[in-house]
């Protein structure tokens, strides 16, 4: 996200200025929030008339627009934005603003950032130099292919194989399922079994250009249309320098990326929820019922109050997780899971309340409440389903400290 892009709208209309004023954020984050929010306002014609029958084409158009504005500059360390705008607080603020504006805007930005992260953090200098400039301009879309028909949340169960040949090249065979950006990607980062050890110890991450012989993409239609699909790999040969990091280190690379991006999913959920809340409040102020505006009914006011509480709680959880990760606090992965779990579940409740308060108007196909209702649902599944997050959080509870504190007052 290039520091050279001016903030055309100093007030970040897609974000809460009161949250931005908290000590979690620095002046550069507030500037970024204004720039991304301003870009969303200035480019709203990209999604003013949603065409959900062409998500790949719309996704490419939005990705190029993001890259052209410098908002993907953090994906290339050679740019000024590479260091300035690549921290997790920046990513969370960008996702929140983009999700408020449009589902595909957040989708294009987030998948590009997520799939580029293994290259940014673990790729060789040659790999970064070869691939990252195109990803930063939006000229090339990228996808990370981890999940499989029998390996979703259980990453260690990946069965796709990458057989090492005598010349050092790899031959990949298998199927990757539910891959974001599959139908538009020019480059895949594939997690495959190279056999250095059992289970998670035998996985590696490999670069696979989409035009490599043996790669076939099967489009998949979702309830909220996006560039999505299954990736079939049949004797796909890639050179030795396709390996990211060391052999057998694919699992920790994948987990590192998922831990970092879970909190950004929470940020996107917050953006969707803020859009629903704003639309609902506006509707309730304008809708007349029983001789007055809908907003004056006690039950409606109670529902709006609950929505505001959820928005504030989600914003603080996301900000805490991102701040802790940026400062390398020991327990940030747990708080990333907490931020994702609460924010995505709460956003679902907020959008459901939006539909309820709009009444029949909220059920109309193509209306904002109906679109948000479809778009928000996937956030509770990808980057680790809510059930997985609960297991992660429960497994990280400090039982010994709790017991010691309890005993201190009981004995």
């Amino acid at each position: 996200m290039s520091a050279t892009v001016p903030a055309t709208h100093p007030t970040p209309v897609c974000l809460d200025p009161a949250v931005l004023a908290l000590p979690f954020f620095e002046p550069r984050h507030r500037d970024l929030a204004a720039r991304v929010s301003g870009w969303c306002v200035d480019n709203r014609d990209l999604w003013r008339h949603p065409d959900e029958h062409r998500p790949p084409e719309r996704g490419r158009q939005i990705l190029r627009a993001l890259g052209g504005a410098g908002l993907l500059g953090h994906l290339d360390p050679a740019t000024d934005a590479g260091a300035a705008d690549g921290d997790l607080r920046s990513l969370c603020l960008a996702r929140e603003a983009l999700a408020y504006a449009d589902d595909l805007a957040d989708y294009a930005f987030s998948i590009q950032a997520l799939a580029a992260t293994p290259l940014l953090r673990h790729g060789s200098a040659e790999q970064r130099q070869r691939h990252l400039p195109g990803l930063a301009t939006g000229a090339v879309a990228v996808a990370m292919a981890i999940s499989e028909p029998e390996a979703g949340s259980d990453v260690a169960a990946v069965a796709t194989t990458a057989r090492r040949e005598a010349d050092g090249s790899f031959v990949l065979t298998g199927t990757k399922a539910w891959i974001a950006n599959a139908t538009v990607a020019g480059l895949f980062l594939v997690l495959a079994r190279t056999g250095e050890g059992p289970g998670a110890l035998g996985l590696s991450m490999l670069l696979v250009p989409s035009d490599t012989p043996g790669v076939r993409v099967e489009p998949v239609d979702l309830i909220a249309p996006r560039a999505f699909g299954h990736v079939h790999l049949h004797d796909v040969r890639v050179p030795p320098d396709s390996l990211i990091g060391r052999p057998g280190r694919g699992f920790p690379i994948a987990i590192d990326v998922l831990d970092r991006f879970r909190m950004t999913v929470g940020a996107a959920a917050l953006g969707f929820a803020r859009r629903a809340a704003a639309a609902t409040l506006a509707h309730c102020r304008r809708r007349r019922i029983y001789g007055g505006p809908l907003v004056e009914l006690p039950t409606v006011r109670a529902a709006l109050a609950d929505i505001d509480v959820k928005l504030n709680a989600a914003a603080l959880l996301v900000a805490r997780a991102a701040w802790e990760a940026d400062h390398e606090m020991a327990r940030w992965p747990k708080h990333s899971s907490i931020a994702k779990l609460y924010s995505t579940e709460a956003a679902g409740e907020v959008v459901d309340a939006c539909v309820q308060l709009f009444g029949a108007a909220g059920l109309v196909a193509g209306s904002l409440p109906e679109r948000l209702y479809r778009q928000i649902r996937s956030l509770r599944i990808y980057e680790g389903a809510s059930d997985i997050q609960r297991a992660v959080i429960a497994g990280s509870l400090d039982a010994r400290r709790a017991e010691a504190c309890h005993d201190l007052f009981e004995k």
Side-chain angles (χ1 to χ4, degrees):
M1 287 161 277
S2 172
T4 63
V5 178
T8 55
H9 298 270
T11 301
V13 296
C14 300
L15 298 158
D16 185 347
V19 173
L20 287 170
L22 295 174
F24 286 117
F25 301 106
E26 302 167 21
R28 63 188 178 89
H29 295 116
R30 299 179 188 105
D31 177 67
L32 168 68
R35 286 188 280 119
V36 177
S37 180
W39 181 88
C40 291
V41 173
D42 293 339
N43 288 272
R44 59 191 181 275
D45 283 344
L46 287 172
W47 48 79
R48 188 186 295 276
H49 304 290
D51 182 357
E52 296 194 335
H53 299 293
R54 298 186 303 113
E57 290 80 1
R58 286 192 61 226
R60 289 192 191 95
Q61 183 183 15
I62 292 170
L63 186 66
R64 289 192 294 268
L66 287 165
L71 298 182
L72 297 170
H74 62 289
L75 301 183
D76 185 0
T79 68
D80 292 339
D85 292 341
D87 66 1
L88 281 161
R89 283 169 291 174
S90 296
L91 292 178
C92 285
L93 291 173
R95 287 204 67 179
E96 182 183 344
L98 291 165
Y100 185 103
D102 178 67
D103 175 47
L104 281 184
D106 169 64
Y107 183 80
F109 175 88
S110 64
I111 302 305
Q112 192 80 344
L114 178 144
T117 295
L119 274 170
L120 276 168
R121 291 177 58 79
H122 306 282
S124 68
E126 191 278 331
Q127 288 171 335
R128 293 196 299 268
Q129 185 177 9
R130 187 191 337 156
H131 295 292
L132 291 178
L135 304 187
T137 63
V140 178
V142 63
M144 192 162 72
I146 294 179
S147 60
E148 298 181 1
E150 304 299 328
S153 298
D154 183 9
V155 177
V158 162
T160 294
T161 60
R163 186 180 71 252
R164 195 74 178 257
E165 299 289 271
D167 63 356
S169 62
F170 296 88
V171 177
L172 289 85
T173 299
T175 295
K176 292 296 180 178
W178 322 116
I179 304 305
N181 262 8
T183 58
V184 297
L187 180 68
F188 291 105
L189 279 73
V190 179
L191 187 66
R193 188 161 299 284
T194 46
E196 288 73 22
L201 300 177
L203 299 174
S204 299
M205 188 78 74
L206 296 149
L207 294 165
V208 180
S210 62
D211 60 358
T212 306
V215 176
R216 181 173 66 85
V217 176
E218 174 190 354
V220 174
D221 293 329
L222 301 180
I223 58 174
R226 295 163 180 163
F228 219 74
H230 303 323
V231 181
H232 302 280
L233 307 165
H234 180 67
D235 291 339
V236 175
R237 184 180 295 271
V238 294
D241 62 0
S242 299
L243 181 70
I244 298 177
R246 300 196 309 273
R249 295 293 295 169
F251 181 81
I253 290 174
I255 294 302
D256 172 65
V257 174
L258 295 176
D259 281 345
R260 296 174 68 81
F261 271 80
R262 280 179 182 132
M263 67 185 75
T264 77
V265 179
L270 178 59
F272 286 118
R274 285 201 193 284
R275 180 67 180 275
T280 302
L281 182 56
H283 171 78
C284 290
R285 284 171 56 85
R286 296 166 183 165
R287 174 81 162 88
R288 305 286 296 181
I289 188 171
Y290 303 131
L294 185 61
V295 73
E296 291 183 358
L297 294 181
T299 53
V300 171
R301 295 178 69 82
L304 294 173
D306 287 341
I307 287 173
D308 199 53
V309 169
K310 291 181 173 72
L311 295 180
N312 278 274
L316 292 175
L317 288 171
V318 169
R320 174 190 180 177
W323 184 91
E324 287 189 350
D326 287 341
H327 288 81
E328 299 182 352
M329 306 290 282
R331 295 174 67 81
W332 72 261
K334 170 187 175 179
H335 294 129
S336 186
S337 288
I338 290 174
K340 180 187 188 296
L341 173 63
Y342 180 83
S343 300
T344 56
E345 294 285 342
E349 295 166 0
V350 169
V351 172
D352 187 75
C354 170
V355 173
Q356 190 73 14
L357 290 171
F358 265 76
L363 302 175
V364 174
S367 67
L368 177 63
E370 186 269 344
R371 293 202 313 272
L372 289 171
Y373 196 77
R374 288 184 287 109
Q375 292 164 355
I376 199 67
R377 187 59 183 86
S378 65
L379 275 64
R380 290 158 57 193
I381 295 175
Y382 67 72
E383 256 90 301
S386 292
D387 312 88
I388 299 298
Q389 303 314 313
R390 291 186 176 95
V392 169
I393 295 164
S396 66
L397 296 177
D398 192 343
R400 290 185 178 179
R401 183 178 185 279
E403 185 176 1
C405 292
H406 170 74
D407 291 346
L408 182 65
F409 288 92
E410 291 297 316
K411 295 181 179 178

